């Protein structure tokens, strides 16, 4: 088997695991036969869910009873030691037995244990948490989403490079267009840190991405740019506010369309259209986050997603490897 | 006429003015007979729109040909001098000829000219730009939205007091519940500035508002709190991201429901429900912003809104006066 993508899977993290994780693997495998899953967790439970559905040569179960809890603080999670399913999965990429690691478990613990085990890519000061976000014409990469509360211009420039590399790994046919999230689009707007970053990015010569200047919150989804860069505080506020607004509107819409008989009839008629709408905005499509800056990709699936969402995160795993994310970042840093 | 609310109106700012502004006044007057409008701008144009529709004793036109342009920088706007409709309107509250001032014109110029003419309320270091934002159970006040990019704990505590006072002026029957916008809800989350603010607000004894701790972006609209406090950078990013997300979703929904014949039929059937939905989310309902911290209320209507939106901003003017906003802030600062 050539070009096999070896994925280290923490089977025990998130709601409804390991069943959700295994169902996600089965779903992912149908379209990605060149996968080898290293599955970490409770062997008996994992086997009971896999049954006969997955060929024996495309997975391996590494048994452990220890798990990081969702309620652990990042440090508590790390202190549970080297036998948790999360730690073992990360160690597997450290030892080059896997190409990429994925967990739907405790985000903070995943970041801490990854930092303990994996090396930073040369010349990058801080790894960043990135995610996919829909826009009018496709998807954007947004980072940092909370790994680094305070940033300097060098960090934001690194994020631009890492974000563009991730974008190109996921969407090889598109060009990366970077913008800095700010409170205005004129050159003089914003704090000193962001203005200095703007100057440096404007002067930077590179063929990896096009720098498009500042972007305001209300333009994030218009599709003019596809890599959105911010410090972790700002990026987290923006992403969560967008999530909150989306669920608020969809709830208001549900209330409006199910309130009476006419509403129900028209909802029935409308079902194919609403399905199109739902599909476009299905959060499972852009489930999870990608922790970049370390020498292996670390993928965080949302703890609350279902097996379809987990499968989509496994597709992100596959693309970061086939798209050669880590080497792209290394080359673009030079 | 007792309890007359005297409103200084810059008639020349924003798209479609002065017609929009005058139509807004006519609309507002129907429900607010105890209003006296001091209208600043081109007398001939203003009179042509008012015609016979407004009783002569409830308005006064102060003629000027000079206006601040929408494209002016804040300083350019201020440098146009003391004869612009915006400057004269603000001067009218300075000289106590009006109780409150409103403009749909250039936001930056409005802030600068207000700061030049009006005094700060005692003990407040920085005025803030606030706005109304819908939530599941009603409306929230959010501040600061961009007037102050860098803030210290004292500023955020002032914003809490000013925001609660504004909330109580607008919704006298509800209790003000304040939260700090942050990237997590645990006490240890966030930057040093926000953690220090949290400590001080937790220890602060007051009967003006209840401090509910931190709130994350995805909880902004769930209605648990109604006064949301942030520095101007963070608040601006959050508000604009919410606006961008809302318009993205509504556009996607329109695409989905008007794409084909079935979609059109069901949209027709659905019209009363969608109207309910639209009404709930109509941005004209919470049009504009309130600049607070100066010794008179300064109301900014959105430049792009229509006469209904302008009329709603006039209602905010009325409520800040009848609700005694400035004295509420003064009392709560002590």
């Amino acid at each position: 088997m050539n070009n096999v993508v070896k994925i280290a899977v923490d089977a025990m993290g998130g709601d409804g695991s390991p069943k959700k994780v295994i169902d996600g693997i089965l779903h992912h495998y149908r379209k990605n036969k060149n996968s080898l899953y290293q599955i970490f967790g409770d062997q008996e439970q994992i086997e009971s869910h896999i049954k006969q559905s997955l060929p024996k040569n495309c997975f391996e179960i590494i048994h452990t009873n220890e798990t990081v809890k969702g309620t652990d603080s990042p440090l508590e999670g790390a202190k549970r030691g080297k036998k948790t399913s999360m730690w073992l999965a990360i160690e597997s990429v450290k030892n080059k037995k896997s190409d990429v690691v994925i967990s739907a478990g405790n985000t903070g613990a995943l970041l801490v244990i990854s930092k303990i085990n994996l090396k930073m890519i040369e010349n990058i000061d801080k790894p960043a948490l990135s995610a996919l976000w829909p826009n009018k014409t496709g998807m954007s990469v947004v980072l940092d989403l909370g790994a680094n509360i305070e940033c300097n211009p060098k960090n934001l420039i690194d994020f631009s490079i890492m974000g563009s590399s991730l974008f190109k790994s996921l969407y090889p046919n598109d060009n990366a267009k970077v913008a800095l999230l700010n409170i205005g689009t004129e050159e003089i707007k914003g704090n000193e840190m962001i203005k200095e970053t703007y100057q440096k990015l404007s002067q930077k010569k590179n063929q990896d991405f096009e720098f498009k200047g500042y972007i305001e919150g209300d333009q994030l989804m218009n599709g003019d740019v596809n890599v959105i860069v911010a410090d972790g505080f700002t990026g987290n506020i923006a992403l969560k506010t967008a999530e909150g607004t989306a669920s608020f509107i969809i709830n208001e819409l549900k209330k409006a369309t199910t309130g009476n008989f006419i509403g129900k009839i028209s909802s029935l008629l409308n079902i194919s259209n609403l399905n199109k709408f739902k599909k476009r905005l299905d959060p499972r499509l852009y489930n999870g986050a990608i922790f970049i800056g370390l020498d292996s990709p670390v993928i965080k699936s949302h703890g609350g997603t279902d097996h379809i969402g987990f499968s989509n995160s496994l597709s992100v795993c596959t693309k970061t490897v086939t798209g050669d994310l880590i080497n792209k970042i290394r080359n673009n840093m030079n």
Side-chain angles (χ1 to χ4, degrees), chain A:
Chain A
M1 288 211 297
N2 249 342
N3 297 323
V4 168
V5 176
K6 290 172 279 176
I7 308 176
V9 183
D10 168 14
M12 307 311 284
D15 308 339
S17 293
K19 183 176 189 322
K20 161 179 79 184
V21 169
I22 304 305
D23 288 347
I25 289 176
L26 298 174
H27 187 270
H28 177 255
Y29 181 71
R30 275 177 227 138
K31 289 186 183 165
N32 297 271
K33 303 290 183 203
N34 274 346
S35 307
L36 174 64
Y37 308 95
Q38 312 254 2
I39 309 172
F40 296 81
D42 185 292
Q43 180 147 15
E44 200 177 322
Q45 285 188 62
I46 294 169
E47 275 174 349
S48 79
H49 294 302
I50 291 188
K51 295 171 195 155
Q52 310 299 321
S53 315
L54 205 60
K56 291 228 158 153
N57 63 344
C58 76
F59 74 96
E60 192 181 338
I61 301 172
I62 299 91
H63 174 74
T64 178
N65 284 323
E66 311 271 320
T67 54
V68 171
K69 302 270 176 287
T71 50
D72 285 344
S73 75
L75 279 181
E76 280 166 4
K79 280 187 183 159
R80 289 190 184 273
K82 303 184 178 183
K83 287 187 176 169
T84 62
S85 56
M86 187 185 279
W87 189 295
L88 289 170
I90 293 168
E91 209 169 48
S92 169
V93 291
K94 177 187 179 184
N95 297 334
K96 307 292 174 205
K97 289 184 181 163
S98 306
D99 303 310
V100 53
V101 56
I102 181 170
S103 174
N106 187 313
T107 309
L110 186 69
L111 302 196
V112 168
I113 300 174
S114 297
K115 276 190 182 179
I116 293 173
N117 280 286
L118 304 176
K119 285 190 192 133
M120 300 285 300
I121 294 175
E122 304 75 34
N123 300 323
I124 286 181
D125 295 342
K126 288 178 171 182
L129 203 54
S130 59
L132 296 174
W133 192 328
N135 64 43
K136 270 186 198 160
T137 56
M139 286 282 180
S140 299
V141 164
V142 189
L143 72 169
D144 175 38
L145 297 174
N148 309 287
I149 292 176
E150 316 258 5
C151 291
N152 61 33
K154 164 79 165 67
N155 301 141
L156 293 199
I157 293 166
D158 289 356
F159 297 170
S160 304
I161 293 167
M162 296 195 293
S164 315
S165 306
L166 176 60
F167 182 83
K168 290 291 290 178
S169 303
L170 300 176
Y171 308 102
N173 301 323
D174 292 340
N175 294 321
K177 289 176 269 184
V178 170
L180 295 170
L181 182 55
N182 198 2
I183 62 169
T185 52
E186 304 90 6
E187 215 171 307
I188 52 150
K189 284 284 173 89
N191 55 33
E192 290 312 310
M193 194 276 284
I194 208 162
K195 283 189 253 182
E196 195 183 324
T197 310
Y198 180 101
Q199 287 305 325
K200 288 185 172 166
L201 278 174
S202 302
Q203 288 154 13
K204 188 174 161 61
K205 281 183 188 128
N206 77 80
Q207 294 165 341
D208 315 314
F209 61 85
E210 190 184 345
F211 178 55
K212 305 281 273 181
Y214 294 137
I215 192 170
E216 290 189 78
D218 54 353
Q219 305 300 311
L220 281 178
M221 297 167 100
N222 69 5
D224 290 345
V225 303
N226 46 37
V227 179
I228 294 152
V229 171
D231 66 83
F233 191 92
T234 306
N236 183 289
I237 296 284
L239 183 78
K240 288 203 172 145
T241 301
E243 284 173 6
T245 307
S247 73
F248 173 77
I249 292 179
I250 287 167
N251 280 334
E252 291 289 323
L253 186 67
K254 275 186 196 155
K255 272 198 271 175
T257 52
T258 57
N260 59 25
F261 181 68
I262 296 287
K264 276 175 194 155
I265 294 288
S266 57
S267 293
L268 273 175
L269 279 174
N270 224 339
I271 215 153
S272 75
N273 296 297
L274 280 183
N275 278 349
K276 249 191 276 168
F277 172 68
K278 273 192 205 154
K279 204 170 169 185
R280 176 80 179 101
L281 286 175
D282 187 345
R284 298 180 302 182
L285 278 179
Y286 38 95
N287 163 50
I290 305 112
F291 192 47
I292 40 178
L294 302 170
D295 63 359
S296 297
V298 177
I299 312 300
K300 171 65 176 67
S301 167
H302 200 287
T305 194
D306 63 7
H307 73 286
I308 303 285
F310 196 83
S311 169
N312 284 327
S313 288
L314 284 167
S315 299
V316 172
C317 288
T318 303
K319 286 178 188 162
T320 59
V321 177
T322 57
D324 206 16
L325 170 63
I326 303 301
N327 283 324
K328 272 202 175 74
I329 298 175
R330 281 206 182 100
N331 294 335
N332 294 348
M333 283 299 291
N334 293 325

